[in-house]
Amino acid sequence: METLQVLNKFNGCSLDNYPQIQHNNLFKRIRDNFHFELFLKGSNMLFSPFYTQLRGESFPELTGFLSQNEEFLDSLKDFIVNSLFVYSAVIEENANYLINEQDIIIGRLMYREHSKFEVKFYSHYQDELQNSYNDKIYIGRIFIDLNNFEKDHLGLNEYFHSILEQNAKIQERALHKLRYYDDYKKPYLDEIAYLAKEVNSEALERIKLFPKSNFKNASTIALIESIDNLLHIQNLMLELKDFTLEFENKLRLGEETNYVKYLFKFSKDLINDIKYLSKLYYLISNKISKYSII
């Protein structure tokens, strides 16, 4: 119930602390087909773009919240979609799952602390949403703070802290889900843990050298140094991603199906994060060059 308690603190008022962005057709479609999923009373409850409950058992507090918060939920949807546009590359990396008219996106809000949430995203096919809900495809996650749209250091700190959190989860689940745990521990699980810690440590140190907030007014020297650090971090991420995909393929060959789905989410997030680093590289490079092809 923490999620409802936090959302109710906004008293049904629209959020107005995010930028107004003119989106392309893909982002417009995502916004129009956005399905919220909230974890309430021990289960995930799914809602249509018009906040009709599609899955889960309703209860009075939820019914009252939905009836009194339509404007707030509309603005929350915009807050999330605009965060996807500015502080991630989840949509760009997964456009093939989202570009058709029947493709919908599900945003699962997971409460963290204060006004902060992790939002996990899934894609599904509209006609199969009710009958084959468990076939949804995980496409990524972002982190939002409903009191602050703007993020220090382009939000990178959150992603690299998340790598350690995810590594801890896949290590723990390996103990319970892998049939031949000992065969995989030293050559794969231990190496992933080592690389994850290396990426986290190196990235957080280099991110400190970035302009904290306002890249628009940063000096050319600061931007050039940021590019160098981005490329270094990206190389470390690529090494971790490639090794994780190698392990994932090994597990599929070994038919370790009970575990591989957890590793897939980890590798998917690594791929998205690398894409976001590339996105930042091109944005900063264009600013440095003072030249645009458009």
Side-chain angles (χ1 to χ4, degrees), residues 13-60:
C13 298
S14 296
L15 298 169
D16 59 3
N17 58 343
Y18 59 90
Q20 300 300 312
I21 297 173
Q22 180 65 45
H23 287 302
N24 58 39
N25 286 336
L26 175 59
F27 273 85
K28 288 178 182 177
R29 186 180 300 116
I30 287 165
R31 199 275 182 199
D32 292 342
N33 292 323
F34 196 99
H35 289 59
F36 277 113
E37 189 178 72
L38 305 179
F39 185 74
L40 304 170
K41 289 197 171 183
S43 64
N44 290 313
M45 298 187 178
L46 181 69
F47 305 90
S48 77
F50 302 103
Y51 317 118
T52 301
Q53 190 168 347
L54 302 178
R55 290 178 63 85
E57 186 175 345
S58 189
F59 52 93

Side-chain angles (χ1 to χ4, degrees), residues 71-268:
E71 289 186 6
F72 167 74
L73 290 169
D74 283 345
S75 68
L76 175 58
K77 192 184 303 183
D78 287 330
F79 190 105
I80 292 171
V81 172
N82 289 4
S83 296
L84 280 167
F85 181 82
V86 176
Y87 291 116
S88 89
V90 169
I91 302 305
E92 294 90 332
E93 180 61 35
N94 297 279
N96 57 314
Y97 295 117
L98 300 165
I99 201 166
N100 296 316
E101 289 186 5
Q102 278 287 326
D103 293 331
I104 63 104
I105 190 169
I106 299 166
R108 177 184 294 173
L109 268 70
M110 303 177 66
Y111 176 70
R112 293 175 73 89
E113 60 178 359
H114 306 302
S115 57
K116 297 179 181 179
F117 291 83
E118 179 178 2
V119 189
K120 291 183 177 290
F121 298 99
Y122 299 82
S123 174
H124 212 319
Y125 198 67
Q126 182 72 61
D127 288 348
E128 299 174 359
L129 184 60
Q130 293 282 18
N131 296 328
S132 305
Y133 182 69
N134 290 334
D135 292 339
K136 62 186 181 298
I137 299 170
Y138 177 74
I139 60 173
R141 88 297 191 216
I142 61 170
F143 304 91
I144 61 171
D145 180 349
L146 297 185
N147 286 329
N148 298 285
F149 181 87
E150 302 292 338
K151 294 180 179 292
D152 291 343
H153 299 123
L154 303 169
L156 291 171
N157 285 296
E158 295 167 317
Y159 290 124
F160 289 106
H161 282 305
S162 175
I163 287 176
L164 280 191
E165 293 175 2
Q166 290 171 296
N167 173 64
K169 289 179 182 178
I170 64 172
Q171 299 289 336
E172 174 65 23
R173 283 166 175 158
L175 282 169
H176 304 289
K177 299 293 184 180
L178 282 176
R179 293 178 300 163
Y180 304 107
Y181 174 79
D182 291 338
D183 292 346
Y184 296 112
K185 184 179 185 306
K186 187 174 182 179
Y188 291 103
L189 289 165
D190 287 354
E191 183 66 13
I192 285 177
Y194 171 80
L195 292 173
K197 291 175 183 176
E198 181 184 37
V199 167
N200 172 270
S201 176
E202 281 276 327
L204 292 180
E205 284 300 312
R206 288 179 178 266
I207 289 168
K208 292 176 184 177
L209 304 175
F210 288 16
K212 185 176 181 181
S213 55
N214 196 343
F215 271 69
K216 295 177 182 178
N217 296 326
S219 69
T220 299
I221 292 175
L223 294 175
I224 290 173
E225 290 176 350
S226 296
I227 286 285
D228 292 340
N229 286 312
L230 275 175
L231 292 175
H232 181 82
I233 295 169
Q234 187 177 62
N235 286 336
L236 294 175
M237 289 284 288
L238 286 167
E239 183 179 1
L240 175 57
K241 182 264 295 183
D242 289 344
F243 190 82
T244 303
L245 289 176
E246 179 186 334
F247 184 29
E248 190 178 319
N249 291 331
K250 184 79 171 180
L251 291 170
R252 294 186 191 281
L253 291 173
E255 298 183 351
E256 293 278 5
T257 54
N258 286 335
Y259 177 70
V260 74
K261 63 182 179 181
Y262 300 110
L263 199 66
F264 169 79
K265 290 183 178 180
F266 183 53
S267 61
K268 170 61 76 173

